[in-house]
Amino acid sequence: MRYSLAGLVHLACTCHLVIGAAVFNWPDPLIDNIDDQLYRPFFSPVSTFALGCGQRDNTSIAAEWLRIAYHDMATHDIDSGTGGLDASIAYELDRPQNIGVGMRGTLEDFLVSPIEHVGMADVLAMGAISAVIGCGGPAIPFRAGRIDATEAGPETVPEPQQDLASHIESFRRQGFSATEMISLVACGHSLGGVRKADFPLIVTEDEPTDVKTFASTVGFDNTVVKEYLDGSTQNVLVMGSNVTTRSDLRIFSSDNNATMQNLASPDSFNQICGDLIERMINTVPSTVTLTEPIEPLDFKVTDTFLFPQGGSLAFLATLRIIDSALNRTVTLFWKERTGKFCPDAGCSSGSFQVDSEAASLLATLKGVNTFKFYRFNAAIDLATSISHFWFEVNNNDGSTPLIVDNQGKNFVIDQDVLLFDPRRTSATIGGLIMVAAVKNPFSTAAVSAFTTIKGTTAVPVIGSVTTNFELDSSHPPADGYTFYTSPTSFLHLNRLSDTLHATVDGEAYSVWVPTVVGTGV
């Protein structure tokens, strides 16, 4: 499959790699989009909604996010290698074990986050990480690549009325030992509580807020452990009047409180909980392979388009760099696709604008506070076009300039036959009118778009639609390209990302066009 640079928006590279981190080879829409959602605040609800352990429905958003991640993972069967964190929870909301407004509310929080290349399962895992740090807990590494299920998993979520042996076996199937079971329950129950409206057989007394919290504090800490050990706990799963549903008491005391004593140390609690929650979100079917941990990318190409305009090919590109307070100068270089136009060293263009953006909380915990965005607008010769590009970063401190070139492979533009045209694309009340450019000459061309559509509150899973394009009568051929447009009914408000497809004289081309914040596209 061919990918045009014009459509590969938000693509990234790294030149200085963190040991043990995912090695990124451009283009990679999966890692690129995950990086945005994890490390750019306000780019996604995952980075912002749980900050400050914000409250909702008389509990914390973080508690709801952490609960759904565990309930989704709990379908895993280590013996058969099936189930795990796979977003099957979207098909399991009618089960008594998954009752509660928080389950559907969390899926609604994340409806705008998946795209064609990033599924809801990855988003749920990111949500669990954000829930922990948003309430003051440890930073947890994130690996990507989970695959969304298309149907419900088995009903294997442990329930409070079950006996200890059932709980031990349930956690064993999920991949956790009896000791790890105690710790994971304590970690999860550091947040939130039990809602009387949902579980009247557990919360039997009147509760003014409807929620009986597990601990007296709101944040992610070991108060739930300390209050259990000193006898001051109000955890209804420990001291509730319904003895049958005292599941936390049975679990916590199952090794004579040895594990709970260990968790009484805040450092031990954070270390153990961080490790177990990381294992929990990485519990996937045996057929799924996750990436290495995704750390903030030192250098990232983003907001990149190539399209015909005014007698040349307009080339828009941005290089995002982790800010180190250096007075950098960044230069874009490129080479021709055919013929000779550029000097031997390559054509070049300086940045026309530099912007700063604060990093997310997770990024700051990793030592990254600010990103700098160096923006470029280059005119590419129509006849020779462009084959690849790279950047030179000069710190202006006497050191040798750094070459950012996709780890020595260059940022290759593998074709310029099918391009997405953001300038001719427009948004209307009736929908988004997308425009694609197909290079002349050609005998036949068929253009379409595969669009990822966000779910609804009734069906909280992403969908898709394919739309056929037509010759664009409002934009006559120009600059060696013919333009095709989508119908005015093309989905706009519900679209998450698009891939343009074209068959031109029997050869297939593809262009990925994710939604770009701030461009109106």
Side-chain angles (χ1 to χ4, degrees):
M1 178 177 289
R2 296 172 180 245
Y3 285 95
S4 163
L5 174 66
L8 291 169
V9 184
H10 288 272
L11 302 178
C13 73
T14 55
C15 293
H16 174 68
L17 300 177
V18 177
I19 300 300
V23 176
F24 187 82
N25 291 299
W26 184 88
D28 190 328
L30 170 64
I31 293 180
D32 165 56
N33 190 271
I34 294 293
D35 170 88
D36 277 335
Q37 296 204 41
L38 287 175
Y39 302 124
R40 293 183 65 182
F42 312 117
F43 189 89
S44 165
V46 178
S47 300
T48 57
F49 281 10
L51 290 179
C53 215
Q55 300 295 289
R56 179 173 67 189
D57 303 324
N58 295 316
T59 185
S60 66
I61 295 172
E64 296 176 343
W65 287 11
L66 195 57
R67 179 181 182 233
I68 199 172
Y70 172 73
H71 280 231
D72 188 65
M73 181 281 304
T75 60
H76 185 63
D77 187 333
I78 195 172
D79 298 324
S80 64
T82 58
L85 196 57
D86 58 6
S88 65
I89 193 74
Y91 305 99
E92 300 160 0
L93 297 179
D94 58 344
R95 296 175 178 175
Q97 57 202 225
N98 295 328
I99 196 172
V101 295
M103 289 292 191
R104 189 172 295 277
T106 297
L107 291 176
E108 292 174 6
D109 291 339
F110 297 154
L111 284 180
V112 299
S113 298
I115 62 169
E116 179 182 349
H117 305 279
V118 179
M120 181 63 83
D122 270 346
V123 176
L124 290 174
M126 284 189 282
I129 289 175
S130 294
V132 173
I133 64 168
C135 289
I140 298 170
F142 180 82
R143 301 169 187 259
R146 293 162 190 82
I147 305 298
D148 286 359
T150 57
E151 60 184 7
E155 297 190 42
T156 52
V157 176
E159 298 183 79
Q161 72 274 11
Q162 294 173 332
D163 60 24
L164 180 62
S166 298
H167 284 132
I168 291 174
E169 173 57 18
S170 180
F171 278 87
R172 184 203 68 79
R173 287 197 310 270
Q174 296 163 22
F176 298 97
S177 68
T179 297
E180 292 167 340
M181 169 189 69
I182 299 170
S183 297
L184 190 57
V185 171
C187 298
H189 288 177
S190 67
L191 300 174
V194 181
R195 191 178 302 280
K196 179 177 175 62
D198 297 332
F199 298 98
L201 297 182
I202 298 177
V203 183
T204 57
E205 293 81 16
D206 290 337
E207 184 59 42
T209 65
D210 190 43
V211 176
K212 188 70 173 177
T213 58
F214 294 123
S216 61
T217 57
V218 173
F220 188 91
D221 58 36
N222 69 340
T223 300
V224 69
V225 175
K226 293 188 293 184
E227 291 179 345
Y228 165 78
L229 291 173
D230 67 18
S232 65
T233 184
Q234 296 299 304
N235 181 350
V236 71
L237 298 182
V238 170
M239 45 66 65
S241 60
N242 187 341
V243 176
T244 304
T245 58
R246 291 181 181 176
S247 56
D248 279 11
L249 176 62
R250 292 190 290 272
I251 290 171
F252 292 165
S253 64
S254 60
D255 64 352
N256 294 317
N257 294 330
T259 299
M260 295 295 278
Q261 293 286 354
N262 188 35
L263 294 173
S265 160
D267 289 342
S268 293
F269 181 85
N270 277 345
Q271 179 66 49
I272 292 169
C273 289
D275 290 345
L276 286 176
I277 293 173
E278 180 182 6
R279 277 182 52 196
M280 179 187 83
I281 64 174
N282 291 343
T283 298
V284 294
S286 59
T287 54
V288 174
T289 301
L290 301 179
T291 68
E292 292 299 312
I294 298 175
E295 300 295 333
L297 300 170
D298 289 346
F299 301 97
K300 178 172 181 175
V301 179
T302 185
D303 297 348
T304 307
F305 298 90
L306 182 69
F307 56 95
Q309 185 182 51
S312 65
L313 286 171
F315 180 34
L316 308 181
T318 297
L319 182 65
R320 189 196 78 185
I321 304 179
I322 293 175
D323 188 19
S324 58
L326 293 172
N327 183 29
R328 294 186 172 104
T329 301
V330 181
T331 305
L332 166 71
F333 289 85
W334 71 91
K335 292 290 286 184
E336 315 90 332
R337 175 171 299 280
T338 60
K340 181 67 176 177
F341 180 84
C342 296
D344 291 342
C347 292
S348 63
S349 176
S351 60
F352 73 90
Q353 182 176 325
V354 181
D355 301 316
S356 295
E357 180 182 292
S360 70
L361 173 60
L362 180 58
T364 63
L365 294 175
K366 296 174 178 289
V368 176
N369 295 308
T370 310
F371 295 113
K372 282 283 182 68
F373 293 81
Y374 295 80
R375 306 191 187 279
F376 302 85
N377 186 349
I380 308 296
D381 182 71
L382 273 171
T384 57
S385 191
I386 178 173
S387 63
H388 62 275
F389 67 100
W390 67 97
F391 299 90
E392 180 183 273
V393 179
N394 190 338
N395 290 332
N396 295 315
D397 59 358
S399 61
T400 302
L402 176 66
I403 303 301
V404 179
D405 59 358
N406 199 30
Q407 303 176 64
K409 301 174 183 177
N410 286 316
F411 300 96
V412 176
I413 304 170
D414 68 348
Q415 60 92 14
D416 60 359
V417 176
L418 173 66
L419 304 177
F420 169 66
D421 195 325
R423 293 290 170 84
R424 291 177 173 86
T425 293
S426 61
T428 69
I429 295 176
L432 186 69
I433 304 175
M434 292 187 72
V435 177
V438 178
K439 191 173 186 178
N440 299 328
F442 62 87
S443 299
T444 60
V447 181
S448 63
F450 176 86
T451 302
T452 304
I453 304 298
K454 72 179 182 181
T456 66
T457 55
V459 185
V461 295
I462 62 172
S464 63
V465 63
T466 297
T467 304
N468 293 322
F469 281 38
E470 303 166 349
L471 275 172
D472 191 342
S473 59
S474 63
H475 296 107
D479 300 324
Y481 283 83
T482 298
F483 302 98
Y484 289 78
T485 185
S486 61
T488 56
S489 60
F490 192 77
L491 295 171
H492 174 42
L493 296 178
N494 291 327
R495 62 185 285 273
L496 298 171
S497 66
D498 308 281
T499 298
L500 297 183
H501 296 279
T503 301
V504 181
D505 289 342
E507 188 165 3
Y509 301 87
S510 296
V511 177
W512 177 48
V513 191
T515 300
V516 182
V517 173
T519 67
V521 177

